Amino acid sequence: MKIAIFGATLHAALMAGVWAETGHQVLWWTEFDISISIDALNLDQALFTLLQQQQQQGRLTSTTLDTLPLDIDVYFFAFNPSRVAQALDVATQLSLKPLIHPKLMINGSTFGLHGTAQFAQILSQDFWVYLPDMIQEGHPLGSFTQAKQVVIGAQDNSAVRCQVRELLRPFFPLQHQYLFMPILDAEFTKLSISGMLATRVSYMNDLAQVAEKLHVDIENVRLGMGADSRIGAIYLHPGVGFGGENFSRDVITLSKTLSNTGISSQLLQQVWEINEQQKEILFRKLWNYYCCDLSGKTIAIWGASFKANTSSIVNSPVHTMLQALWAQGVIVKLHDPQALEQIEAQYGSRHDLILCQESYEAARDAHALCLITAWQSYYSPDYQRLKQQMAHPFILDGRNIYDPAYVKAQGFAYEGVGRA
């Protein structure tokens, strides 16, 4: 098939790559040439390589609205909420073209409820389908291709559903893998999934605080809960809170959606409040350790992105940490494998922020080392080197990736989240 993709998002990039790889001819529209858009998205290496390969093989090409051919079989829209006006403008320009209707139009944009209906009002002669963005930033290819089932919002039309299944057949070959439902149901499902995952994270963070008071190791509790088949282990890791643009936005959107119906969701409000409070937990531990006096201290931070394998710092816990430390006159030395440019772009040049290209350089002369992001390269540090370079051997483990007993045996003071 010939597939036109609109939008410069991770969802657009992923679908462009996998559809081109499986033999479709993909034409991708962004504000700029797709090579520029691909670089700007800061994709993980696997997806970046896939897109490059498909460009080289000629199955993935740039397009403009003016040069877009009329014999497109499928149109796929994948825009962020900040680009609603742009997305609707693209749809309007398409409506002015002499297309042979009806066409299959797929909305993969994250506009919340009734997002697909906004497109359908403009291109009303076409068949509309909603394919929610369920991919995980930092692990996009695997999160899509390894999914057991796919949620699809579509009207009850056998021809439309048959074409959708053909598009997704290389990834979901079995009939039972398709969960077809009305479009609004699918849009609400997308928000509800994010709300459930956020609830699990905040629940574990709440338990972690209780565990500390009871001298219980939350890691044992987490493993025990995850072993129960009714619960499972996913999203049960306590830490310094969740972040990211899509995840955080979905939780807020779902909470507002419920409120707009006249139903106030105290649960979601508490989930969000717990998460925002959790972003302060390492600072509170540091504050107590130094007896409420951090003036003149140098603090190292490992990790700025909201999760590993991404450069995104949107809603990352690092922002709360930075603001709290700076308010106390602390100098921060920060390392992250991918997000330093984003930090510099947001905060600019300041005397109390030193961006370090090497992780151990960040720890030099530091009175504490705070781990914010669980990058793989942080899992097994050279403790003796750290001890020699730090002004004081104190590690605050915001993701519970270290063994407290082992770290203490190396001569460090240690604080985790809910670790006895």
Side-chain angles (χ1 to χ4, degrees):
M1 297 185 204
K2 278 190 178 179
I3 304 174
I5 293 181
F6 305 96
T9 61
L10 180 60
H11 198 194
L14 173 72
M15 300 313 297
V18 297
W19 274 332
E21 185 183 33
T22 52
H24 297 290
Q25 184 64 43
V26 178
L27 296 91
W28 189 6
W29 177 92
T30 66
E31 291 181 86
F32 311 101
D33 182 88
I34 58 172
S35 296
I36 298 174
S37 297
I38 289 171
D39 289 338
L41 285 171
N42 294 306
L43 305 173
D44 73 302
Q45 190 59 48
L47 182 51
F48 181 79
T49 300
L50 174 63
L51 291 169
Q52 281 192 321
Q53 290 173 344
Q54 299 313 307
Q55 283 183 278
Q56 292 167 1
Q57 294 171 14
R59 288 195 291 265
L60 174 61
T61 57
S62 292
T63 188
T64 66
L65 290 173
D66 291 333
T67 60
L68 188 68
L70 298 177
D71 60 343
I72 297 295
D73 299 297
V74 179
Y75 296 81
F76 180 76
F77 300 80
F79 291 85
N80 284 331
S82 60
R83 300 290 185 178
V84 173
Q86 182 187 53
L88 298 181
D89 180 64
V90 169
T92 300
Q93 292 188 55
L94 285 178
S95 70
L96 300 176
K97 286 180 171 288
L99 304 180
I100 299 176
H101 301 280
K103 293 286 188 179
L104 178 59
M105 303 283 179
I106 302 177
N107 175 30
S109 306
T110 49
F111 293 168
L113 297 186
H114 306 291
T116 309
Q118 295 183 64
F119 284 114
Q121 287 178 353
I122 299 170
L123 292 162
S124 58
Q125 302 178 62
D126 300 297
F127 295 126
W128 278 95
V129 168
Y130 174 60
L131 180 63
D133 177 1
M134 300 292 194
I135 58 178
Q136 297 177 26
E137 195 165 345
H139 183 52
L141 276 171
S143 63
F144 176 73
T145 59
Q146 296 170 17
K148 295 181 179 179
Q149 292 182 299
V150 56
V151 172
I152 299 169
Q155 53 191 284
D156 189 8
N157 183 304
S158 59
V160 170
R161 295 187 177 192
C162 182
Q163 191 173 6
V164 170
R165 279 194 292 264
E166 177 59 25
L167 273 173
L168 299 177
R169 178 178 49 80
F171 324 107
F172 306 101
L174 306 176
Q175 291 283 338
H176 74 266
Q177 292 182 289
Y178 296 88
L179 297 176
F180 284 104
M181 60 185 70
I183 289 174
L184 188 60
D185 294 33
E187 290 175 339
F188 191 66
T189 298
K190 154 67 172 163
L191 297 178
S192 300
I193 290 172
S194 295
M196 173 58 78
L197 296 178
T199 300
R200 288 170 68 97
V201 173
S202 289
Y203 179 61
M204 287 306 298
N205 283 331
D206 225 13
L207 289 184
Q209 295 191 43
V210 177
E212 287 188 1
K213 296 183 182 300
L214 296 176
H215 302 289
V216 168
D217 190 342
I218 195 64
E219 182 65 8
N220 291 329
V221 177
R222 182 187 71 81
L223 292 173
M225 290 175 63
D228 190 315
S229 60
R230 297 169 298 175
I231 299 174
I234 189 171
Y235 282 78
L236 285 185
H237 294 269
V240 289
F242 60 79
E245 182 178 11
N246 292 351
F247 196 54
S248 302
R249 182 195 58 246
D250 284 352
V251 176
I252 294 173
T253 301
L254 180 58
S255 181
K256 288 182 178 178
T257 298
L258 295 177
S259 296
N260 291 339
T261 64
I263 301 173
S264 178
S265 174
Q266 295 182 0
L267 175 60
L268 281 176
Q269 291 173 7
Q270 290 176 349
V271 164
W272 186 256
E273 289 170 3
I274 290 170
N275 187 64
E276 293 307 292
Q277 292 170 5
Q278 199 68 15
K279 293 178 180 179
E280 304 172 356
I281 190 167
L282 291 193
F283 175 78
R284 294 197 298 268
K285 289 174 178 289
L286 184 65
W287 179 253
N288 291 332
Y289 184 86
Y290 278 110
C291 302
C292 309
D293 183 12
L294 295 174
S295 179
K297 296 289 191 297
T298 297
I299 303 299
I301 293 179
W302 278 3
S305 58
F306 80 91
K307 66 183 292 187
N309 302 316
T310 177
S311 62
S312 174
I313 59 172
V314 177
N315 292 327
S316 170
V318 76
H319 301 296
T320 301
M321 191 68 175
L322 287 173
Q323 297 299 336
L325 291 173
W326 287 336
Q328 299 302 317
V330 170
I331 293 176
V332 177
K333 300 179 71 176
L334 174 64
H335 174 266
D336 187 281
Q338 292 186 19
L340 292 186
E341 288 186 10
Q342 284 71 18
I343 289 290
E344 186 174 26
Q346 178 158 343
Y347 293 105
S349 177
R350 15 183 330 151
H351 75 280
D352 50 6
L353 175 62
I354 302 172
L355 302 181
C356 302
Q357 299 297 326
E358 201 271 330
S359 58
Y360 291 97
E361 178 57 32
R364 187 179 300 278
D365 300 323
H367 296 87
L369 168 60
C370 301
L371 182 125
I372 299 289
T373 313
W375 285 96
Q376 202 68 27
S377 59
Y378 296 154
Y379 270 71
S380 301
D382 183 337
Y383 289 104
Q384 292 311 306
R385 182 179 176 185
L386 277 178
K387 190 175 179 180
Q388 291 171 4
Q389 293 185 182
M390 292 178 68
H392 183 74
F394 181 28
I395 293 177
L396 294 111
D397 181 4
R399 297 297 178 184
N400 287 354
I401 68 173
Y402 302 124
D403 180 346
Y406 185 83
V407 174
K408 291 176 182 178
Q410 307 310 305
F412 286 81
Y414 173 90
E415 286 277 1
V417 180
R419 307 303 300 270

